[in-house]
Amino acid sequence: MANKNRLLLDNLFDVLVFVRVSETGNFTSAAEKLQISRSAAGKCIQRLENRVSTRLLHRTTRQIRLSEEGERFYLHAKRILSEVDDAENALYEGQQTPSGTLRIDLPVVFGRRYVLPVLQDFTAQWADVEIDVSFSDDYCDLVQEGIDVAIRIGGNDDSRLVRKVLAPHRLITCASPDYLARKGTPETPDELAAHECLVFCHLGRRVGWQFSRDKQIISLPVTGRMRLGDTGAILDAALAGNGICQIGAFLAGPLIAQGKLIPLLNPFSAPGEPVCAVYPSKQFLPPKVRQFLTLLETRWQGKAIWDY
C-alpha cells in the first residue's frame, strides 16, 4: 500500500498523461489537451513505465495501443483521477459553504448578551455548522486549545494571532442616583478620593481607573471599602447605592439609558480598548469563521450598540 501511495503522489501527472494518451490514441493530441510538448508527454509515459517496471503502451509508427497490463492500469488510473477530482470538488465546496464545528471563545457577560444572539441567528442560517462556545474573561491560547475565533475586549499580545477590530468600547464611571443624592457628584477625578469607590481586583491586584487628562491616558488608583473580583458584583453594588464604579460600556450603557445609573466625569472619559475578533490565521480563513465575522459586522456596523 505504501508503494502505491507513493506512486500516486510522485507520478500523478504522469498517470494523467497516460490516461489522455490512451483515450486519444496518440501523443500529439494528448499533449495538446494537457498543454505540454509531445516529447514531454513521451517522457512522462517512459518515466511511468520505468516506475512500474511494465510496458503500458505498444508504440508503432502508425498507432499506439494498450498492452494487457496497460489496460488494467488504465482502469485503475481512471478511478484514481476521478477520486482526485472528487476530493478537489469536495474541498472547493467546503471552502465556499460554512460547515463543521465553529469553536469560539467569548467574554462571559459580553458574550452572553451581545454575541450569543448573533450566534443563534448564525446557526439558523447555516444548518451544517455546529457551535462549541466557551465563556471566559481570561485569555486562552487559541492555537493550543483549537479555538477558531475569540471575541475580546482589548488588545492582543500574541504574534501568532490576527486581530480584527469590530466596534469601539470604553469604560464609564457611574453611580446610582441614590448614591449621588446622598454623597454628591464628583466633578474631577481627584474628587474621587472623598467618595466610596467600588474597586475591581484582578488576580489579587487593584485595577486603577482610566481617565484622560491633558490629552494623555492616566491610571488613577482608587480606594474604597468594597473590593470585588467580579464586574457583575461591582455593578450590583453600584445599583444598590454602595458607591461609584468604573465598568465597561456594555454593562453600564443599558442601565444609564434606563436611568438606573448616572454617568460621571464625562470630560475626563478615556477611549477604551475596542472589541476585537482574534483568530490564528488570516490566510485560508475557513468559511464558518468568515461568515460569522461578516454577520457580526453586519449587525454591529462598527458601532458600540451597547453604549447609551
Side-chain angles (χ1 to χ4, degrees):
M1 180 62 70
N3 288 337
K4 290 182 179 179
N5 289 339
R6 191 164 60 246
L7 173 65
L8 172 61
L9 294 175
D10 293 348
N11 296 69
L12 188 57
F13 186 73
D14 293 349
V15 173
L16 176 60
V17 172
F18 167 74
V19 170
R20 294 294 178 264
V21 170
S22 301
E23 292 173 342
T24 59
N26 65 81
F27 283 95
T28 301
S29 297
E32 289 177 353
K33 288 180 178 291
L34 296 172
Q35 297 183 336
I36 60 175
S37 66
R38 186 183 186 284
S39 62
K43 290 178 180 178
C44 288
I45 298 300
Q46 185 177 7
R47 185 165 53 240
L48 184 60
E49 289 179 330
N50 290 338
R51 184 61 182 269
V52 298
S53 300
T54 303
R55 179 166 293 281
L56 301 174
L57 297 173
H58 292 304
R59 308 164 180 82
T60 67
T61 56
R62 290 188 174 185
Q63 64 176 353
I64 295 174
R65 63 181 179 84
L66 291 171
S67 66
E68 183 179 349
E69 293 81 3
E71 290 177 353
R72 290 199 301 269
F73 188 80
Y74 171 78
L75 295 176
H76 289 287
K78 283 280 289 183
R79 186 176 69 249
I80 289 171
L81 294 176
S82 177
E83 290 176 353
V84 170
D85 285 340
D86 290 344
E88 288 183 344
N89 290 334
L91 184 59
Y92 176 78
E93 292 173 0
Q95 289 172 341
Q96 305 306 310
T97 305
S99 61
T101 300
L102 176 64
R103 294 177 175 84
I104 181 169
D105 186 66
L106 302 176
V108 180
V109 179
F110 181 86
R112 191 172 67 245
R113 290 187 182 181
Y114 298 104
V115 183
L116 193 56
V118 180
L119 272 173
Q120 291 168 343
D121 291 342
F122 179 78
T123 57
Q125 183 177 353
W126 302 106
D128 291 334
V129 178
E130 297 183 359
I131 305 294
D132 188 342
V133 186
S134 57
F135 292 89
S136 175
D137 290 326
D138 294 322
Y139 289 176
C140 66
D141 188 327
L142 270 63
V143 176
Q144 183 176 355
E145 298 190 23
I147 302 296
D148 294 307
V149 61
I151 305 300
R152 293 177 175 172
I153 300 175
N156 168 43
D157 296 328
D158 193 334
S159 60
R160 299 173 299 172
L161 302 179
V162 178
R163 179 176 182 260
K164 182 182 183 65
V165 175
L166 297 173
H169 185 259
R170 64 186 179 117
L171 296 172
I172 298 177
T173 306
C174 54
S176 70
D178 174 65
Y179 175 87
L180 297 175
R182 289 184 289 109
K183 299 293 186 178
T185 301
E187 300 296 334
T188 68
D190 293 334
E191 293 181 15
L192 290 172
H195 284 266
E196 283 289 342
C197 294
L198 303 170
V199 182
F200 176 62
C201 292
H202 181 64
L203 300 177
R205 295 185 178 183
R206 301 182 185 186
V207 177
W209 289 10
Q210 305 296 309
F211 294 103
S212 177
R213 178 179 288 170
D214 298 327
K215 298 182 179 181
Q216 292 186 338
I217 306 299
I218 63 170
S219 179
L220 181 70
V222 293
T223 58
R225 291 183 299 159
M226 296 186 70
R227 294 177 292 278
L228 304 164
D230 177 73
T231 54
I234 288 179
L235 183 62
D236 291 342
L239 289 169
N242 291 316
I244 300 174
C245 69
Q246 188 177 83
I247 56 177
F250 72 92
L251 288 170
L255 295 168
I256 290 173
Q258 297 170 20
K260 295 180 179 180
L261 291 175
I262 305 298
L264 305 171
L265 305 173
N266 280 338
F268 302 94
S269 179
E273 293 281 0
V275 178
C276 302
V278 292
Y279 41 92
S281 176
K282 192 172 186 178
Q283 190 176 23
F284 306 128
L285 192 64
K288 58 188 176 183
V289 176
R290 185 173 62 251
Q291 292 293 345
F292 168 64
L293 294 179
T294 298
L295 185 57
L296 269 182
E297 290 177 303
T298 300
R299 292 294 176 83
W300 293 353
Q301 294 291 309
K303 301 175 182 178
I305 61 172
W306 42 83
D307 216 330
Y308 65 93

